[in-house]
Every structure is written in structure tokens, then in C-alpha cells.
Amino acid sequence: MAKRKKENLQLGDLLQDFIKENKLDRGIDGVDTRAAWKNLMGPGVNNYTTAVELRNGTLYVSLSSSVLREELSHGNSKIIKMINEDLGKEVVKKLVLR
């Protein structure tokens, strides 16, 4: 059984340590990325979004509208930049619209 630390620690620091020790970074990044997509793209795009998945630095977004897919493909680098800024770190390196 681990000994207790006698110093006072911030809850946020403890959670970050727990996430790192248990290697939960990738899963949490995926959840945060889905939330960032939903917040940044707004309800108009979200109505046509069927799936958002982060795998190995690539964000795969499935859209039900081919017209919207084509329109968003013109702003790929801007979307990646906006999502990474929202997350506060570089998580998304590539965006694939399907």
C-alpha cells in the first residue's frame, strides 16, 4: 500500500498525475477533440456530422452532406489550427473528411 503524502496538492495536479500514470492521455484527447469539433463547428455542421474519431493524430470526421464535405475541405488547415488552439496543445495533425 502506498504511503500518504503529507503535503497539500491541488486536485487538478493530482488528476493530471493520475491520467499520466494510467496512460489515459489518448482517450481523453479523443473525447476533448470531439467536444472541440462540436463547439467550434456549431449546430449547422453538427447536424450533418455522423462521427468524429481521433486516431494517431488524424481526425476522421464523417459527414452526411457531400456539399458540406467539399466546402470544409477548403479550410482543412484552419480547422486543424482552431481545434488545436481550443485544446491548448497539438493533438490533431491531419484532418480527413469522409
Side-chain angles (χ1 to χ4, degrees), residues 21-87:
E21 286 177 17
N22 293 300
K23 299 177 183 168
L24 300 173
D25 293 334
R26 291 176 63 194
I28 290 178
D29 286 345
V31 171
D32 290 344
T33 304
R34 280 191 286 269
W37 174 267
K38 185 176 181 180
N39 292 335
L40 294 171
M41 293 297 123
V45 174
N46 286 322
N47 287 337
Y48 295 102
T49 302
T50 57
V52 178
E53 183 179 356
L54 179 68
R55 276 189 270 145
N56 299 325
T58 303
L59 183 62
Y60 296 93
V61 179
S62 298
L63 299 166
S64 60
S65 169
S66 61
V67 175
L68 179 62
R69 185 180 319 116
E70 182 66 27
E71 192 71 28
L72 290 177
S73 69
H74 294 294
N76 256 357
S77 59
K78 184 178 180 183
I79 293 171
I80 293 170
K81 183 179 176 186
M82 286 175 25
I83 290 174
N84 286 332
E85 284 178 359
D86 189 62
L87 297 175

Side-chain angles (χ1 to χ4, degrees), residues 9-10 46 81 97:
L9 298 173
Q10 295 291 326
N46 286 322
K81 183 179 176 186
L97 301 169

